Amino acid sequence: MTVAPAIARNRARPADVEAHLTACAQSFTPPLGERRAIPDYAAKLAARAERFEAWDGPTLIGLVAVYCNDPARIAAFVTNVSVLPTRTGIGLGRRLLAAAITHARDLGFARMALSVDRRAAALRLYRGLGFTDDGRDGDTLHLRLDLRTPCPGAGAASQQRDREARP
């Protein structure tokens, strides 16, 4: 029997986030290290983002990071969605992103936004959760989700898991 990953919010230390992002770097399109200095990015996420985390014992296996710092509560911005390559395909990204959506909605945000490469595998996840096009800049798609409407695919079981991710 496999034990389900523990879900937490804002538990990771900067070193945990850095180790996780380094392990996931090649899964990003384009690879994360080509776009960001991973140690600096990890420190910024740990200090400024709301983090929705999946843990297997001491290992951070999934991370969704969202900036919820818009004082007008207009848009929360998803800056990271990552799952260790050995743990993809079991719904962790969806579960963590759904928890982040619920959190931003509960804080009163009107929408959630993110930017993603048009070739990224995660695009299917975002579309499945109801994100729609909000513009394009070269290969980068800008997506948005109206938080005033229920999250697609967020049935009772999903909503219960979202509540469990709250501290």
Side-chain angles (χ1 to χ4, degrees), residues 8 57 67 69 83 88 90 102 110:
Y67 294 121
N69 54 359
V83 175
T88 60
I90 60 172
T102 298

Side-chain angles (χ1 to χ4, degrees), residues 13 23 28 31 33 39 47-48 51 61 85 112 116 123 149 151-152:
R13 297 164 304 157
F28 287 87
R48 298 184 182 155
R51 296 173 325 280
I61 62 172
M112 184 170 271
V116 62
L123 194 54
T149 60
C151 181

Side-chain angles (χ1 to χ4, degrees), residues 52 64 81-83 89-102 122-130 151-155 158 161-162:
F52 300 83
V64 168
V81 176
S82 53
V83 175
I90 60 172
L92 283 179
R94 174 177 287 277
R95 186 173 168 191
L96 294 171
L97 190 51
I101 290 167
T102 298
L123 194 54
R124 189 170 138 223
L125 166 66
Y126 305 141
R127 299 261 192 243
L129 286 170
C151 181
S158 177
R161 286 191 304 266
D162 293 349

Side-chain angles (χ1 to χ4, degrees), residues 8-166:
R9 196 174 103 219
N10 299 330
R11 173 179 145 193
R13 297 164 304 157
D16 299 320
V17 175
E18 183 178 346
H20 173 79
L21 293 175
T22 299
C24 294
Q26 294 304 310
S27 301
F28 287 87
T29 305
L32 184 60
E34 293 178 12
R35 297 179 286 135
R36 305 225 190 297
I38 292 175
D40 295 341
Y41 185 50
K44 183 178 177 183
L45 294 181
R48 298 184 182 155
E50 289 292 322
R51 296 173 325 280
F52 300 83
E53 307 158 352
W55 293 85
D56 186 359
T59 305
L60 180 60
I61 62 172
L63 175 66
V64 168
V66 181
Y67 294 121
C68 296
N69 54 359
D70 177 357
R73 300 281 195 235
I74 294 169
F77 186 79
V78 178
T79 186
N80 181 80
V81 176
S82 53
V83 175
L84 288 180
T86 58
R87 302 301 288 267
T88 60
I90 60 172
L92 283 179
R94 174 177 287 277
R95 186 173 168 191
L96 294 171
L97 190 51
I101 290 167
T102 298
H103 179 72
R105 185 178 283 126
D106 289 350
L107 289 175
F109 281 88
R111 71 177 176 269
M112 184 170 271
L114 61 85
S115 296
V116 62
D117 189 283
R118 66 176 179 78
R119 300 162 296 189
L123 194 54
R124 189 170 138 223
L125 166 66
Y126 305 141
R127 299 261 192 243
L129 286 170
F131 283 85
T132 59
D133 290 355
D134 194 32
R136 183 176 181 161
D137 183 18
D139 286 338
T140 302
L141 299 177
H142 304 287
L143 305 179
R144 67 180 286 154
L145 176 68
D146 183 352
L147 296 178
R148 295 168 293 200
T149 60
C151 181
S158 177
Q159 291 170 359
Q160 176 62 33
R161 286 191 304 266
D162 293 349
R163 285 189 292 275
E164 292 168 1
R166 296 179 192 160

